[in-house]
Amino acid sequence: MDTARDAAHRGLLKLMLRLPSLRGELQRLWPSDPSFEALCEAYQDATATLERLVQRPGDGEDGLIEEYRGVCQALESDVVLRCRSRMARARPDRHP
């Protein structure tokens, strides 16, 4: 049986494929930010549901498909912002 951590790890791998320019930062966030693991799990759940809906759409599920696309995009945006924020904090100031 899958654990929440397994689902979160699959979400991380999907994010690494979706956001290749941030792979290194995603790998650094994984062990150091507990809330990031929950975000990865949510991404896994949302993308799995979206994939299921797209592959086997039911009557009247077009709106639900669009809703899940929006959820996936929002989660991706949150991840990008976290990565950029972390990278900005890690860079030393370059002011004289």
Side-chain angles (χ1 to χ4, degrees):
M1 182 164 173
D2 263 354
T3 66
R5 184 149 175 94
D6 293 334
H9 190 256
R10 282 193 312 280
L12 171 67
L13 296 175
K14 285 183 179 181
L15 284 164
M16 289 171 67
L17 289 172
R18 183 80 172 128
L19 306 167
S21 65
L22 297 174
R23 281 184 190 148
E25 195 58 36
L26 293 169
Q27 289 173 321
R28 284 185 284 279
L29 267 173
W30 176 255
S32 65
D33 185 348
S35 65
F36 181 65
E37 186 174 322
L39 187 59
C40 290
E41 182 182 1
Y43 188 73
Q44 167 59 26
D45 292 344
T47 56
T49 300
L50 177 60
E51 289 166 9
R52 183 185 53 79
L53 288 169
V54 168
Q55 289 174 0
R56 290 175 265 134
D59 290 336
E61 288 185 337
D62 291 341
L64 195 55
I65 289 170
E66 288 309 308
E67 184 177 339
Y68 270 92
R69 279 193 178 118
V71 168
C72 292
Q73 289 172 345
L75 290 167
E76 290 168 9
S77 294
D78 190 14
V79 168
V80 168
L81 289 174
R82 282 179 186 233
C83 287
R84 288 185 179 158
S85 174
R86 181 180 158 96
M87 291 183 322
R89 285 191 312 267
R91 265 187 247 136
D93 287 338
R94 296 185 180 183
H95 300 288

Tab-separated table of all heavy atoms in Angstrom, residues 10-46:
chain	number	residue	atom	x	y	z
A	10	ARG	N	6.349	10.751	-5.666
A	10	ARG	CA	5.908	10.726	-7.067
A	10	ARG	C	5.567	12.134	-7.540
A	10	ARG	O	5.854	12.514	-8.670
A	10	ARG	CB	4.708	9.788	-7.245
A	10	ARG	CG	5.097	8.326	-7.283
A	10	ARG	CD	3.969	7.434	-7.780
A	10	ARG	NE	2.686	7.681	-7.143
A	10	ARG	CZ	2.318	7.216	-5.941
A	10	ARG	NH1	3.165	6.468	-5.249
A	10	ARG	NH2	1.132	7.466	-5.454
A	11	GLY	N	4.958	12.925	-6.667
A	11	GLY	CA	4.669	14.322	-7.004
A	11	GLY	C	5.939	15.108	-7.246
A	11	GLY	O	6.017	15.915	-8.180
A	12	LEU	N	6.950	14.864	-6.417
A	12	LEU	CA	8.252	15.517	-6.612
A	12	LEU	C	8.831	15.159	-7.977
A	12	LEU	O	9.300	16.032	-8.716
A	12	LEU	CB	9.224	15.102	-5.509
A	12	LEU	CG	10.683	15.533	-5.700
A	12	LEU	CD1	10.820	17.050	-5.618
A	12	LEU	CD2	11.583	14.840	-4.689
A	13	LEU	N	8.792	13.887	-8.316
A	13	LEU	CA	9.334	13.453	-9.608
A	13	LEU	C	8.580	14.095	-10.768
A	13	LEU	O	9.192	14.531	-11.756
A	13	LEU	CB	9.299	11.927	-9.712
A	13	LEU	CG	10.172	11.176	-8.710
A	13	LEU	CD1	9.954	9.678	-8.830
A	13	LEU	CD2	11.637	11.542	-8.872
A	14	LYS	N	7.273	14.194	-10.654
A	14	LYS	CA	6.486	14.860	-11.697
A	14	LYS	C	6.866	16.334	-11.810
A	14	LYS	O	6.960	16.880	-12.912
A	14	LYS	CB	4.987	14.733	-11.408
A	14	LYS	CG	4.423	13.367	-11.693
A	14	LYS	CD	2.923	13.354	-11.440
A	14	LYS	CE	2.317	12.011	-11.737
A	14	LYS	NZ	0.847	12.008	-11.510
A	15	LEU	N	7.055	16.980	-10.669
A	15	LEU	CA	7.453	18.391	-10.683
A	15	LEU	C	8.831	18.564	-11.318
A	15	LEU	O	9.067	19.531	-12.042
A	15	LEU	CB	7.440	18.965	-9.263
A	15	LEU	CG	6.060	19.262	-8.709
A	15	LEU	CD1	6.116	19.441	-7.195
A	15	LEU	CD2	5.457	20.493	-9.380
A	16	MET	N	9.721	17.633	-11.046
A	16	MET	CA	11.061	17.703	-11.635
A	16	MET	C	10.990	17.572	-13.155
A	16	MET	O	11.757	18.218	-13.872
A	16	MET	CB	11.961	16.636	-11.021
A	16	MET	CG	12.317	16.942	-9.576
A	16	MET	SD	13.162	15.587	-8.726
A	16	MET	CE	14.693	15.542	-9.616
A	17	LEU	N	10.070	16.758	-13.644
A	17	LEU	CA	9.882	16.628	-15.095
A	17	LEU	C	9.209	17.871	-15.671
A	17	LEU	O	9.549	18.326	-16.759
A	17	LEU	CB	9.046	15.393	-15.418
A	17	LEU	CG	9.729	14.055	-15.202
A	17	LEU	CD1	8.723	12.922	-15.362
A	17	LEU	CD2	10.886	13.883	-16.172
A	18	ARG	N	8.274	18.404	-14.946
A	18	ARG	CA	7.504	19.563	-15.421
A	18	ARG	C	8.315	20.856	-15.352
A	18	ARG	O	8.127	21.755	-16.152
A	18	ARG	CB	6.240	19.679	-14.569
A	18	ARG	CG	5.314	20.760	-14.959
A	18	ARG	CD	4.479	20.342	-16.123
A	18	ARG	NE	3.472	21.357	-16.347
A	18	ARG	CZ	3.264	21.923	-17.512
A	18	ARG	NH1	3.926	21.549	-18.570
A	18	ARG	NH2	2.355	22.849	-17.625
A	19	LEU	N	9.219	20.948	-14.374
A	19	LEU	CA	9.994	22.170	-14.133
A	19	LEU	C	11.492	21.841	-14.151
A	19	LEU	O	12.180	21.957	-13.137
A	19	LEU	CB	9.598	22.777	-12.775
A	19	LEU	CG	8.107	23.049	-12.561
A	19	LEU	CD1	7.821	23.346	-11.109
A	19	LEU	CD2	7.637	24.179	-13.464
A	20	PRO	N	12.011	21.443	-15.304
A	20	PRO	CA	13.398	20.969	-15.350
A	20	PRO	C	14.435	22.000	-14.914
A	20	PRO	O	15.467	21.640	-14.356
A	20	PRO	CB	13.603	20.553	-16.804
A	20	PRO	CG	12.534	21.242	-17.572
A	20	PRO	CD	11.379	21.422	-16.622
A	21	SER	N	14.165	23.260	-15.108
A	21	SER	CA	15.147	24.278	-14.712
A	21	SER	C	15.260	24.413	-13.197
A	21	SER	O	16.218	25.002	-12.687
A	21	SER	CB	14.795	25.638	-15.331
A	21	SER	OG	13.565	26.108	-14.805
A	22	LEU	N	14.311	23.842	-12.475
A	22	LEU	CA	14.323	23.931	-11.008
A	22	LEU	C	14.624	22.599	-10.329
A	22	LEU	O	14.478	22.467	-9.120
A	22	LEU	CB	12.962	24.456	-10.517
A	22	LEU	CG	12.600	25.866	-10.963
A	22	LEU	CD1	11.184	26.203	-10.534
A	22	LEU	CD2	13.589	26.882	-10.426
A	23	ARG	N	15.052	21.603	-11.093
A	23	ARG	CA	15.290	20.267	-10.523
A	23	ARG	C	16.211	20.286	-9.310
A	23	ARG	O	15.929	19.670	-8.294
A	23	ARG	CB	15.866	19.334	-11.578
A	23	ARG	CG	14.843	18.793	-12.495
A	23	ARG	CD	15.419	17.791	-13.462
A	23	ARG	NE	14.407	17.505	-14.466
A	23	ARG	CZ	14.669	17.206	-15.709
A	23	ARG	NH1	15.911	17.118	-16.130
A	23	ARG	NH2	13.694	16.967	-16.554
A	24	GLY	N	17.318	20.975	-9.440
A	24	GLY	CA	18.270	21.018	-8.328
A	24	GLY	C	17.658	21.635	-7.082
A	24	GLY	O	17.836	21.120	-5.969
A	25	GLU	N	16.935	22.712	-7.265
A	25	GLU	CA	16.299	23.374	-6.123
A	25	GLU	C	15.205	22.500	-5.525
A	25	GLU	O	15.051	22.441	-4.307
A	25	GLU	CB	15.731	24.728	-6.549
A	25	GLU	CG	15.378	25.619	-5.405
A	25	GLU	CD	16.542	25.927	-4.483
A	25	GLU	OE1	17.687	26.064	-4.946
A	25	GLU	OE2	16.304	26.028	-3.270
A	26	LEU	N	14.463	21.799	-6.364
A	26	LEU	CA	13.430	20.882	-5.868
A	26	LEU	C	14.067	19.780	-5.018
A	26	LEU	O	13.534	19.419	-3.963
A	26	LEU	CB	12.654	20.264	-7.037
A	26	LEU	CG	11.785	21.227	-7.840
A	26	LEU	CD1	11.295	20.561	-9.112
A	26	LEU	CD2	10.627	21.725	-7.009
A	27	GLN	N	15.205	19.280	-5.460
A	27	GLN	CA	15.899	18.238	-4.697
A	27	GLN	C	16.403	18.773	-3.355
A	27	GLN	O	16.443	18.042	-2.371
A	27	GLN	CB	17.058	17.677	-5.508
A	27	GLN	CG	16.596	16.836	-6.674
A	27	GLN	CD	17.731	16.418	-7.579
A	27	GLN	OE1	18.661	17.181	-7.839
A	27	GLN	NE2	17.654	15.193	-8.082
A	28	ARG	N	16.780	20.044	-3.317
A	28	ARG	CA	17.225	20.638	-2.050
A	28	ARG	C	16.044	20.910	-1.112
A	28	ARG	O	16.165	20.791	0.100
A	28	ARG	CB	18.019	21.915	-2.311
A	28	ARG	CG	19.427	21.645	-2.812
A	28	ARG	CD	20.240	22.923	-2.940
A	28	ARG	NE	19.885	23.694	-4.109
A	28	ARG	CZ	20.315	23.460	-5.350
A	28	ARG	NH1	21.096	22.432	-5.586
A	28	ARG	NH2	19.960	24.230	-6.354
A	29	LEU	N	14.913	21.306	-1.675
A	29	LEU	CA	13.734	21.585	-0.852
A	29	LEU	C	13.165	20.324	-0.223
A	29	LEU	O	12.672	20.359	0.903
A	29	LEU	CB	12.638	22.223	-1.719
A	29	LEU	CG	12.572	23.727	-1.781
A	29	LEU	CD1	11.545	24.171	-2.811
A	29	LEU	CD2	12.258	24.332	-0.437
A	30	TRP	N	13.217	19.222	-0.954
A	30	TRP	CA	12.580	17.972	-0.509
A	30	TRP	C	12.940	17.597	0.923
A	30	TRP	O	12.051	17.397	1.753
A	30	TRP	CB	12.906	16.860	-1.507
A	30	TRP	CG	12.400	15.522	-1.113
A	30	TRP	CD1	13.129	14.478	-0.623
A	30	TRP	CD2	11.049	15.055	-1.168
A	30	TRP	NE1	12.325	13.395	-0.383
A	30	TRP	CE2	11.030	13.724	-0.708
A	30	TRP	CE3	9.847	15.641	-1.553
A	30	TRP	CZ2	9.873	12.968	-0.621
A	30	TRP	CZ3	8.693	14.881	-1.470
A	30	TRP	CH2	8.714	13.574	-1.014
A	31	PRO	N	14.218	17.494	1.274
A	31	PRO	CA	14.518	17.058	2.643
A	31	PRO	C	14.458	18.179	3.688
A	31	PRO	O	14.425	17.908	4.875
A	31	PRO	CB	15.948	16.517	2.536
A	31	PRO	CG	16.553	17.291	1.424
A	31	PRO	CD	15.424	17.578	0.461
A	32	SER	N	14.436	19.424	3.247
A	32	SER	CA	14.581	20.520	4.206
A	32	SER	C	13.296	21.279	4.521
A	32	SER	O	13.293	22.120	5.410
A	32	SER	CB	15.630	21.516	3.696
A	32	SER	OG	15.164	22.135	2.504
A	33	ASP	N	12.221	21.004	3.805
A	33	ASP	CA	10.977	21.765	3.989
A	33	ASP	C	9.798	20.800	4.107
A	33	ASP	O	9.293	20.305	3.101
A	33	ASP	CB	10.786	22.720	2.803
A	33	ASP	CG	9.597	23.641	2.964
A	33	ASP	OD1	8.766	23.420	3.868
A	33	ASP	OD2	9.486	24.592	2.169
A	34	PRO	N	9.346	20.526	5.336
A	34	PRO	CA	8.247	19.562	5.526
A	34	PRO	C	6.961	19.953	4.798
A	34	PRO	O	6.234	19.092	4.310
A	34	PRO	CB	8.033	19.545	7.045
A	34	PRO	CG	9.275	20.110	7.626
A	34	PRO	CD	9.864	21.032	6.592
A	35	SER	N	6.681	21.239	4.689
A	35	SER	CA	5.459	21.646	4.001
A	35	SER	C	5.571	21.398	2.495
A	35	SER	O	4.557	21.238	1.811
A	35	SER	CB	5.130	23.114	4.278
A	35	SER	OG	6.111	23.966	3.731
A	36	PHE	N	6.793	21.339	1.997
A	36	PHE	CA	7.001	21.058	0.574
A	36	PHE	C	6.580	19.624	0.248
A	36	PHE	O	6.028	19.363	-0.816
A	36	PHE	CB	8.465	21.299	0.187
A	36	PHE	CG	8.745	21.064	-1.265
A	36	PHE	CD1	8.185	21.863	-2.237
A	36	PHE	CD2	9.567	20.031	-1.665
A	36	PHE	CE1	8.436	21.645	-3.587
A	36	PHE	CE2	9.826	19.797	-3.002
A	36	PHE	CZ	9.259	20.609	-3.961
A	37	GLU	N	6.797	18.705	1.167
A	37	GLU	CA	6.373	17.322	0.966
A	37	GLU	C	4.852	17.249	0.802
A	37	GLU	O	4.344	16.553	-0.078
A	37	GLU	CB	6.830	16.441	2.133
A	37	GLU	CG	6.549	14.980	1.919
A	37	GLU	CD	7.133	14.096	3.014
A	37	GLU	OE1	8.246	14.373	3.491
A	37	GLU	OE2	6.448	13.117	3.370
A	38	ALA	N	4.128	18.013	1.623
A	38	ALA	CA	2.668	18.048	1.510
A	38	ALA	C	2.243	18.649	0.176
A	38	ALA	O	1.276	18.189	-0.448
A	38	ALA	CB	2.073	18.844	2.667
A	39	LEU	N	2.963	19.639	-0.284
A	39	LEU	CA	2.679	20.254	-1.582
A	39	LEU	C	2.906	19.250	-2.716
A	39	LEU	O	2.104	19.162	-3.648
A	39	LEU	CB	3.567	21.486	-1.766
A	39	LEU	CG	3.327	22.372	-2.964
A	39	LEU	CD1	1.917	22.932	-2.978
A	39	LEU	CD2	4.330	23.514	-2.959
A	40	CYS	N	3.957	18.470	-2.614
A	40	CYS	CA	4.235	17.425	-3.619
A	40	CYS	C	3.144	16.363	-3.609
A	40	CYS	O	2.726	15.885	-4.673
A	40	CYS	CB	5.598	16.783	-3.373
A	40	CYS	SG	6.991	17.860	-3.719
A	41	GLU	N	2.675	15.999	-2.431
A	41	GLU	CA	1.596	15.013	-2.336
A	41	GLU	C	0.326	15.565	-2.977
A	41	GLU	O	-0.369	14.854	-3.720
A	41	GLU	CB	1.345	14.641	-0.880
A	41	GLU	CG	0.272	13.585	-0.726
A	41	GLU	CD	-0.024	13.233	0.724
A	41	GLU	OE1	0.578	13.811	1.650
A	41	GLU	OE2	-0.889	12.360	0.924
A	42	ALA	N	0.015	16.819	-2.720
A	42	ALA	CA	-1.161	17.447	-3.328
A	42	ALA	C	-1.026	17.485	-4.848
A	42	ALA	O	-1.999	17.247	-5.574
A	42	ALA	CB	-1.351	18.861	-2.776
A	43	TYR	N	0.192	17.750	-5.326
A	43	TYR	CA	0.425	17.773	-6.772
A	43	TYR	C	0.216	16.385	-7.376
A	43	TYR	O	-0.407	16.244	-8.432
A	43	TYR	CB	1.832	18.300	-7.075
A	43	TYR	CG	2.077	18.540	-8.545
A	43	TYR	CD1	1.483	19.613	-9.192
A	43	TYR	CD2	2.896	17.698	-9.290
A	43	TYR	CE1	1.703	19.844	-10.541
A	43	TYR	CE2	3.114	17.919	-10.637
A	43	TYR	CZ	2.517	19.000	-11.258
A	43	TYR	OH	2.724	19.220	-12.602
A	44	GLN	N	0.704	15.370	-6.704
A	44	GLN	CA	0.511	13.996	-7.169
A	44	GLN	C	-0.982	13.672	-7.241
A	44	GLN	O	-1.458	13.140	-8.245
A	44	GLN	CB	1.232	12.995	-6.263
A	44	GLN	CG	0.842	11.545	-6.473
A	44	GLN	CD	1.076	11.029	-7.883
A	44	GLN	OE1	1.919	11.525	-8.603
A	44	GLN	NE2	0.302	10.039	-8.281
A	45	ASP	N	-1.710	14.000	-6.206
A	45	ASP	CA	-3.142	13.710	-6.180
A	45	ASP	C	-3.880	14.451	-7.295
A	45	ASP	O	-4.713	13.869	-7.992
A	45	ASP	CB	-3.744	14.084	-4.824
A	45	ASP	CG	-3.270	13.193	-3.690
A	45	ASP	OD1	-2.714	12.106	-3.961
A	45	ASP	OD2	-3.444	13.595	-2.520
A	46	ALA	N	-3.558	15.721	-7.471
A	46	ALA	CA	-4.235	16.535	-8.491
A	46	ALA	C	-3.908	16.060	-9.901
A	46	ALA	O	-4.804	15.954	-10.748
A	46	ALA	CB	-3.852	18.008	-8.323
